[in-house]
Amino acid sequence: MVTACGGEDPEERERDEASAAGASPSTSSSRAPSPTRFDPPREFAPEGELVAEGEGYAVAGDAVVSVVDPSLDGGDAEESDSVVSVRVRGMDGRVRTEFRTPFGTAHEWNGPFAEYTLGGPATATLGDRHVVLLAGTRVIEGSGTYRDQYDYVFRAHDAGTGDKVWQRVVEVDSGAGVSHQVIGANSEYTVIETASKTYVLRTSDGETVWSSADIDPVVLAGDTLVVHEETGFTSARPVGLDAADGDRLWEGPGVDYVSGTLADQISVVTPTTVVLRAKQADGAGSVHETYLVSVDDGSVRETLEGEWSCRHGTDTIVCGTGGGMVAFDAESVETLWELPDDRREAPTLHAVHNGVVYVSSSDGLMTLDARSGSDLDHGLGLSGGRIVDVRPGYALVEWDGDGSPPRLRAHRAVG
């Protein structure tokens, strides 16, 4: 599902112009950083605006979409039995729009999702507007000897107004479980997985492009749908399908499960690269590895020992694990730098945005230059929390509160 509101940021345009004139960020390292397209935010206000509560939020552009839990919103949780509310907030914390959808109880809800956020979401832009894509279940209560019946309801809403753009209702196959989730979306296609079938819809109007009961979708990367294909009792491989018609394009490397299913182990890093975490058997037991896999042909472009998470920032892929960090050129996948080295320790990776890596070290939250790895700033103005995304002018930080649901706050850039 998706959202995003607003046009070009005036401050970003000014930074672009400054960069074109030769401006570049300062560094405390003797190794000079590469020039950036504009000076990205490197310090943030300590106080942020609440933009979402709980786990079900999505980020795109300068807005945050979240499912409203009545119990967190000062209401009665039973109010969610017949409707679910979706709220769109700007980075200033103000509600831009809120709309209600008849999707039944909260546990039957899956969504929303958006591109380059945590967990593998999807973003769609239609012309000059952005849409929120939803998948839900409609319950038709039975009586007497008639059982309850269920329909899947797929909907798109305008993120700016909340107006319904389209709705598609699909009957649940007899005997199938009731589950659904938005796998991914772009301006052309929206992929929704249900208990019985996977549907590839046209994002503009919700019409079915094709569907299949024989695939297990994992991620949508550009115009390629990556699916999970079993190769053994505890092994599988990723397979690339053409999102336009479902034709088989390539087969990726076969791997054993790390945990759960292959869907837990693949994430999109760039429109042309996915990350696959794997466990391979060897003579002494098993070895964990992470592959950077090309979406074009399924080839492995880089292999890292251990389980790594990766982030993409314009022209750089940065991967981190406990005690290690490495950066690659996004196009060539050539290694740019690695930590630790003979002088420096490896920090913990949080986010990458426009030439800057946001990390935490023994000094707290700080930044590195994405192309050189050199230190930039040793203080971001934030103490605590976890940066989950950086947008022009803002950092989005998750704050956990003593057993309460996490809260997402937007902290304005001040330097």
Side-chain angles (χ1 to χ4, degrees):
M1 56 250 110
V2 188
T3 155
C5 312
E8 183 181 8
D9 188 326
E11 295 179 4
E12 180 175 333
R13 184 173 59 250
E14 292 176 6
R15 288 190 294 267
D16 282 336
E17 293 170 353
S19 177
S24 61
S26 61
T27 176
S28 59
S29 170
S30 59
R31 185 178 181 184
S34 61
T36 54
R37 287 157 183 73
F38 61 85
D39 187 17
R42 285 161 43 186
E43 185 178 351
F44 302 93
E47 300 298 326
E49 299 294 338
L50 180 66
V51 291
E53 291 183 272
E55 303 288 348
Y57 67 81
V59 182
D62 62 349
V64 176
V65 180
S66 63
V67 177
V68 180
D69 184 336
S71 63
L72 296 178
D73 213 33
D76 186 344
E78 294 183 358
E79 292 178 3
S80 66
D81 285 347
S82 58
V83 297
V84 170
S85 292
V86 179
R87 181 176 293 164
V88 181
R89 289 180 183 265
M91 296 299 180
D92 57 3
R94 295 180 182 178
V95 177
R96 293 185 175 176
T97 187
E98 184 170 329
F99 55 92
R100 297 161 75 83
T101 57
F103 277 151
T105 59
H107 72 271
E108 293 170 337
W109 172 260
N110 283 281
F113 294 86
E115 188 177 8
Y116 301 132
T117 61
L118 299 177
T123 298
T125 303
L126 294 178
D128 59 354
R129 66 176 173 176
H130 305 271
V131 293
V132 181
L133 300 170
L134 312 171
T137 300
R138 183 175 66 182
V139 181
I140 305 171
E141 293 186 357
S143 63
T145 60
Y146 290 91
R147 295 187 296 268
D148 289 350
Q149 294 182 347
Y150 302 88
D151 287 333
Y152 293 125
V153 183
F154 309 143
R155 300 178 74 162
H157 286 259
D158 187 295
T161 65
D163 294 341
K164 183 174 67 177
V165 178
W166 53 257
Q167 173 174 297
R168 183 155 185 79
V169 178
V170 177
E171 289 188 7
V172 176
D173 291 348
S174 176
V178 180
S179 65
H180 39 69
Q181 74 177 74
V182 180
I183 295 296
N186 54 41
S187 60
E188 296 292 329
Y189 309 108
T190 296
V191 180
I192 299 176
E193 180 186 25
T194 73
S196 56
K197 282 185 178 181
T198 294
Y199 296 87
V200 178
L201 309 179
R202 201 161 51 213
T203 300
S204 59
D205 56 16
E207 289 299 312
T208 300
V209 180
W210 58 276
S211 64
S212 174
D214 301 322
I215 63 173
D216 186 1
V218 181
V219 292
L220 178 64
D223 292 334
T224 301
L225 177 60
V226 181
V227 304
H228 160 124
E229 184 174 81
E230 300 284 346
T231 57
F233 184 67
T234 60
S235 60
R237 65 185 168 200
V239 173
L241 306 181
D242 190 333
D245 52 22
D247 284 354
R248 194 181 186 95
L249 301 175
W250 50 259
E251 298 175 359
V255 300
D256 291 335
Y257 299 154
V258 173
S259 61
T261 68
L262 196 63
D264 302 318
Q265 298 167 219
I266 295 182
S267 57
V268 177
V269 179
T270 78
T272 59
T273 306
V274 296
V275 170
L276 171 61
R277 288 171 290 279
K279 183 175 67 175
Q280 303 286 21
D282 66 6
S286 62
V287 176
H288 292 253
E289 293 179 323
T290 299
Y291 304 132
L292 296 184
V293 179
S294 169
V295 175
D296 293 331
D297 57 14
S299 62
V300 176
R301 305 192 70 190
E302 185 65 48
T303 301
L304 299 170
E305 293 184 2
E307 294 184 61
W308 297 66
S309 61
C310 300
R311 304 285 185 268
H312 173 232
T314 309
D315 55 3
T316 310
I317 297 172
V318 181
C319 299
T321 188
M325 187 172 291
V326 60
F328 304 97
D329 180 84
E331 183 174 353
S332 67
V333 196
E334 176 188 355
T335 300
L336 300 175
W337 52 268
E338 296 182 62
L339 290 175
D341 57 23
D342 56 354
R343 296 175 50 239
R344 305 166 66 207
E345 297 179 342
T348 299
L349 176 64
H350 292 292
V352 184
H353 177 72
N354 284 296
V356 170
V357 187
Y358 298 83
V359 301
S360 56
S361 69
S362 56
D363 288 340
L365 294 171
M366 62 173 294
T367 55
L368 308 176
D369 181 83
R371 298 294 293 184
S372 70
S374 57
D375 288 15
L376 292 176
D377 299 285
H378 286 250
L380 297 184
L382 299 172
S383 59
R386 181 172 65 93
I387 297 176
V388 296
D389 201 359
V390 176
R391 301 280 162 156
Y394 292 91
L396 290 161
V397 183
E398 269 193 2
W399 299 86
D400 296 321
D402 299 330
S404 63
R407 287 169 168 76
L408 185 72
R409 295 186 181 275
H411 294 253
R412 180 177 288 277
V414 295

